[in-house]
Amino acid sequence: MFDPFDALLLARFQFAFTVSFHFIFPSFSIGLASYLAVLEGLWLWTGREVYLNLFKYWLKIFALAFAMGVVSGIVMSYQFGTNWSVFSDKAGPVIGPLMAYEVMTAFFLEAGFLGIMLFGMGRVGRKLHFAATLAVAIGTFISAFWILSANSWMQTPVGYGINEAGQFVPQDWWAIVFNPSFPYRLVHTVLAAYLTTALVVGAVGAWHLLRERTNKGARVMFSMAMGMVALVAPLQILVGDMHGLNTLEHQPAKVMAMEGHFESHPDGAPLILFGIPDQEAGTVRNAIQIPKASSLILKHDLNAPLNGLDTVDRANWPYVPVVFWSFRIMVGLGFAMLALGLLSLLARWRGKLYEWRPLHGMALAMGPAGFVAVIAGWVTTEVGRQPFTVYGLLKTAASASPLEAPAVAASLLTFIIVYFIVFGAGTGYILKLMGKPPHPGETGPEAGPDHPIRTAGITPAPAVDPARTLGVEA
């Protein structure tokens, strides 16, 4: 089955598979944690029970998504030691501390308050419970901060030196953390997480409105989700454009692949909308293009020259067909989200937000769009920086462990089977929860018996026969 592939390609498949699976859950839980904080805050502020019911409804789903995100993330870290040990050795002095900061700040914060958030309602004061929800939401953002700082450093490495062993060693932590592409990548990714969550919440609300348009909880969640999409979708397109300009400055070959520019254009480059990139021939076949529009977007000048991949050593080209199409999927879905947001504004203005069934159908169909878009964006970013793991400095082929193909193939096959069974079951249960409408008196996650079970400090006193206690007469 895996005979045509070498160990390096299989290791790349394995990392891409596990990262893609993992990326689904944080992109949902980051936005959902903030949504839960907003719902609880609105409940405390207004006293309206509908916000409390929605909080408990989505809290059950958050608990499952958060748990699967943690488990799938732990698996990835092991691959740095098994399949990418040379990368771990060379880049470990920079990447390792950034990952440690993530654990010490974000994970400890989340783990410390997650139990109160999930099971503390009614057992602690309202303000303390709200503080716990806020702490978990802030923790998810801090986690994204450190992860994206590490990834951005691999894309735009600065603030390092190289020692005698060929390792990257930190010289300026401020420059490493706030490297040139980090601010754009952080804002773009966090906004993508908020959009992903809004689309899922909107789809669930639309589903229940299609079945019963008077459900108060469905109305509130649909209204909030569509408002978020209308606000964030245009902002995300603007931030994405700024991120693209930053990428053109620091990783021009990636932008050339995204645009399909094999050839340089000294008098203004066309915007290729669609076509079939031919990596071997170095051209885009059957291209549908707008003259000079690429120069206008990237340089804000119709006649601005743009270099093509013909100015880059062919050995350093990314695989253009994948980058070209993943970029178009991401951008196309971004504009579809913008259209959904604008239509929801039109429906709200006409007083038809809860009655316009075509809008509900569109929102339901767009429910998975955020997940597809973030994975397409991740593929554009990661395949676009190939053939390097640390851009321009450390090639992917020189980062892999000295493994044979059968060993990597066996672990890849195991991951595929286990992931689809474990995470497939978890995702199926989440969909089952979403299929039930929110209702008054939601119970939230099951907390077990009313009285907590002591797991520490248990004394054997109840098991002792008083008649046999020392010093007591029978």
Side-chain angles (χ1 to χ4, degrees):
M1 179 178 177
F2 296 104
D3 290 344
F5 306 107
D6 60 19
L8 175 62
L9 192 58
L10 288 169
R12 291 180 61 191
F13 278 155
Q14 186 177 124
F15 199 75
F17 174 76
T18 52
V19 169
S20 298
F21 240 103
H22 171 67
F23 203 12
I24 289 173
F25 300 110
S27 62
F28 183 42
S29 57
I30 289 172
L32 194 52
S34 296
Y35 180 55
L36 288 168
V38 170
L39 286 172
E40 188 170 10
L42 287 172
W43 170 58
L44 293 175
W45 184 30
T46 66
R48 293 182 60 192
E49 188 184 4
V50 66
Y51 294 122
L52 177 61
N53 291 325
L54 285 178
F55 175 83
K56 292 179 177 178
Y57 178 86
W58 285 103
L59 188 60
K60 292 177 282 190
I61 296 168
F62 173 80
L64 287 166
F66 185 86
M68 289 193 285
V70 171
V71 172
S72 58
I74 291 173
V75 171
M76 283 171 46
S77 62
Y78 285 110
Q79 292 179 66
F80 287 113
T82 55
N83 295 353
W84 302 101
S85 59
V86 179
F87 167 79
S88 299
D89 175 55
K90 300 296 184 186
V94 172
I95 301 297
L98 294 177
M99 295 294 96
Y101 298 150
E102 192 257 342
V103 172
M104 289 189 295
T105 56
F107 191 70
F108 283 5
L109 187 65
E110 293 165 344
F113 288 96
L114 186 65
I116 299 175
M117 179 187 179
L118 294 179
F119 307 117
M121 184 74 76
R123 291 189 169 88
V124 299
R126 291 182 176 184
K127 291 182 179 179
L128 176 57
H129 191 274
F130 181 51
T133 305
L134 280 178
V136 172
I138 293 170
T140 60
F141 177 81
I142 295 174
S143 179
F145 177 95
W146 290 116
I147 296 293
L148 289 167
S149 177
N151 182 270
S152 297
W153 181 83
M154 292 161 64
Q155 306 273 349
T156 51
V158 291
Y160 66 90
I162 297 179
N163 64 15
E164 294 178 350
Q167 295 172 308
F168 297 94
V169 290
Q171 291 187 332
D172 184 345
W173 276 112
W174 185 264
I176 290 172
V177 173
F178 296 97
N179 57 79
S181 66
F182 170 65
Y184 303 94
R185 203 179 308 279
L186 176 66
V187 175
H188 196 46
T189 305
V190 171
L191 288 180
Y194 288 152
L195 264 177
T196 299
T197 303
L199 288 166
V200 173
V201 173
V204 174
W207 168 249
H208 294 300
L209 284 176
L210 286 168
R211 303 170 74 184
E212 183 191 354
R213 68 180 62 178
T214 59
N215 185 295
K216 188 180 295 184
R219 284 180 169 231
V220 171
M221 73 167 78
F222 186 72
S223 176
M224 293 178 73
M226 291 300 102
M228 192 69 179
V229 172
L231 175 67
V232 176
L235 185 61
Q236 177 71 314
I237 292 173
L238 176 64
V239 171
D241 178 64
M242 295 171 67
H243 187 21
L245 297 180
N246 177 267
T247 305
L248 178 65
E249 180 181 355
H250 296 282
Q251 296 177 295
K254 182 189 291 187
V255 175
M256 294 170 192
M258 291 159 58
E259 297 288 315
H261 289 162
F262 287 99
E263 299 176 353
S264 298
H265 297 276
D267 301 317
L271 175 64
I272 303 175
L273 298 175
F274 301 104
I276 304 173
D278 187 333
Q279 183 96 349
E280 292 299 321
T283 186
V284 178
R285 302 190 185 281
N286 305 316
I288 299 173
Q289 55 191 13
I290 303 174
K292 300 187 184 250
S294 185
S295 287
L296 180 63
I297 294 171
L298 293 172
K299 295 284 189 177
H300 301 164
D301 181 353
L302 285 170
N303 298 311
L306 277 179
N307 288 332
L309 285 167
D310 55 359
T311 62
V312 179
D313 185 348
R314 185 177 272 262
N316 292 335
W317 284 14
Y319 188 57
V320 176
V322 171
V323 180
F324 181 86
W325 279 108
S326 61
F327 176 66
R328 272 148 190 77
I329 291 171
M330 178 186 68
V331 172
L333 288 173
F335 279 100
M337 295 172 198
L338 177 64
L340 177 64
L342 293 176
L343 285 174
S344 74
L345 288 179
L346 177 63
R348 195 186 298 269
W349 177 64
R350 295 179 60 191
K352 301 289 186 183
L353 187 63
Y354 309 119
E355 286 80 27
W356 199 9
R357 297 179 72 84
L359 176 66
H360 301 161
M362 182 178 180
L364 180 61
M366 290 285 292
F371 297 116
V372 178
V374 295
I375 291 176
W378 178 83
V379 169
T380 303
T381 295
E382 301 306 318
V383 179
R385 75 166 146 149
Q386 293 299 317
F388 298 100
T389 48
V390 181
Y391 194 71
L393 298 169
L394 180 63
K395 286 204 168 186
T396 306
S399 303
S401 303
L403 295 172
E404 297 295 329
V408 186
S411 57
L412 172 59
L413 192 60
T414 303
F415 276 126
I416 291 173
I417 295 171
V418 172
Y419 268 50
F420 275 101
I421 293 175
V422 175
F423 296 117
T427 303
Y429 189 63
I430 286 178
L431 292 174
K432 182 179 178 182
L433 290 176
M434 290 177 175
K436 298 178 180 177
H439 57 77
E442 287 279 353
T443 55
E446 294 294 333
D450 292 338
H451 301 288
I453 300 172
R454 296 183 63 186
T455 57
I458 296 175
T459 65
V464 175
D465 180 358
R468 299 178 63 186
T469 305
L470 290 177
V472 178
E473 296 294 336

